[in-house]
Amino acid sequence: MAAVPPTPTTGQPHDAEIRLHLLGGFRLTHGDTPVVVPRGLQRIIALIGLRPGATRTHLAGLLWPEATEERALSSLRTALWRLRQDPYCPLTTAADTVRLDPLVRVDVDLLIDTAGRVRDGHAPGDAGEALTAGRHDLLPGWYDDWVLADRERLRQLRLHMLEQVSGQHLAAGRHGEALEAALEAMAAEPLRETPHRLVVRIHLAEGNAFEAVHAYYVYRDLLLRELRLEPSPAMSALLAETLDPIRQASRPAGGPRRHVVTRAAAPSPTAMRHRTDPGR
């Protein structure tokens, strides 16, 4: 690990904030200076950032799942020794646990904290905080089992947070903010029905029947094209009160008109003779 200019981050007073970025890719920064970390050591720091206070045995088992416990622990000891040789090492050890330095700020924690406040009914301090938190996937391009599990966990956490934010704004009559949060969730997962349902509800609450119907059929076409599925009955029911009067008004008053096709009578043999006899 190296940075320019070199300023220790542990063992000496911290003169700049240390940030660990895991969403959108691994980045470790000391103030405005990026710290270069070899890929093998990135895995150690990232896992410790996602599993604060994990035991060495647990960390070793996740990092080297195919190795024996003894060999995995040996590999972890070697990696931790390499990290501690660098003044930028953001780790602290206590007994059998390894943690990030308390002064390290992790972007994943911001997403989790924001989602927790929304879940408890509190609006985030910054209006755009809930929209931007966790906008990027966790460590894209990494395929370790623990990364895949946490990536899906954080993705679902963010989707539910955005939907809750949208629902809270809708209930308060803040339709613009509600729509913004629903569209953010829709962009994160286009095939998920919940944000599309929220968009329809928001348009109906504003009295925009056309927008509501349009949003419904855009999602229906997408679902049919991608999955060959129809929207759920719950979503279709949202438009029942809007579409039924339109359907009723488009029907003829007397019901559908039948087109009756009459067959012409066949000519008699005498008539046929009169048509074909030139002497008559």
Side-chain angles (χ1 to χ4, degrees):
M1 292 163 39
V4 180
T7 305
T9 60
T10 59
Q12 297 185 22
H14 295 275
D15 58 355
E17 187 175 54
I18 309 169
R19 287 187 174 273
L20 176 60
H21 305 267
L22 302 177
L23 300 172
F26 183 98
R27 284 189 302 123
L28 182 65
T29 59
H30 181 238
D32 296 328
T33 306
V35 179
V36 180
V37 183
R39 179 61 181 267
L41 299 182
Q42 288 181 17
R43 296 174 68 245
I44 311 290
I45 296 173
L47 179 57
I48 294 171
L50 293 168
R51 301 285 194 283
T55 64
R56 293 171 184 255
T57 302
H58 183 57
L59 293 173
L62 291 174
L63 291 165
W64 294 278
E66 297 180 0
T68 63
E69 180 176 329
E70 181 179 356
R71 187 174 183 82
L73 284 170
S74 175
S75 297
L76 179 63
R77 282 194 298 270
T78 301
L80 292 176
W81 178 84
R82 289 177 60 194
L83 282 169
R84 283 195 292 266
Q85 304 313 300
D86 194 285
Y88 283 90
C89 173
L91 306 179
T92 61
T93 57
D96 193 38
T97 62
V98 184
R99 297 177 179 271
L100 291 179
D101 188 284
L103 296 179
V104 178
R105 298 290 176 262
V106 186
D107 57 357
V108 169
D109 293 342
L110 174 63
L111 170 59
I112 294 173
D113 292 344
T114 304
R117 292 200 303 273
V118 171
R119 183 180 58 247
D120 295 338
H122 304 297
D126 180 6
E129 186 178 348
L131 301 184
T132 57
R135 182 172 282 172
H136 302 290
D137 282 340
L138 175 72
L139 297 169
W142 293 31
Y143 300 103
D144 305 75
D145 289 343
W146 54 272
V147 174
L148 296 177
D150 273 15
R151 183 182 298 156
E152 179 60 19
R153 176 179 66 87
L154 293 173
R155 190 181 75 89
Q156 290 293 333
L157 181 69
R158 180 171 187 260
L159 286 170
H160 282 89
M161 175 189 67
L162 290 170
E163 291 163 1
Q164 285 179 294
V165 168
S166 179
Q168 290 169 3
H169 285 313
L170 176 59
R174 297 187 293 268
H175 299 136
E177 293 89 338
L179 186 60
E180 188 177 6
L183 291 175
E184 185 77 26
M186 189 188 301
E189 182 46 78
L191 292 174
R192 184 179 173 92
E193 181 175 300
T194 314
H196 289 271
R197 199 185 305 168
L198 278 163
V199 169
V200 171
R201 289 176 56 202
I202 294 164
H203 287 316
L204 290 175
E206 291 183 301
N208 294 323
F210 167 77
E211 294 283 3
V213 172
H214 176 71
Y216 172 83
Y217 280 106
V218 166
Y219 176 62
R220 182 176 181 269
D221 291 345
L222 174 66
L223 206 58
L224 286 171
R225 183 172 64 253
E226 297 295 331
L227 300 177
R228 299 191 181 278
L229 294 174
E230 289 277 354
S232 71
M235 183 167 185
S236 300
L238 290 175
L239 289 177
E241 294 183 2
T242 301
L243 292 179
D244 283 350
I246 299 174
R247 290 167 179 158
Q248 292 292 338
S250 64
R251 292 175 184 167
R257 180 179 298 175
R258 294 182 178 179
H259 296 278
V260 180
V261 178
T262 57
R263 180 179 297 176
S268 65
T270 303
M272 288 294 293
R273 283 198 301 270
H274 279 279
R275 292 178 185 175
T276 57
D277 188 351
R280 292 184 177 272

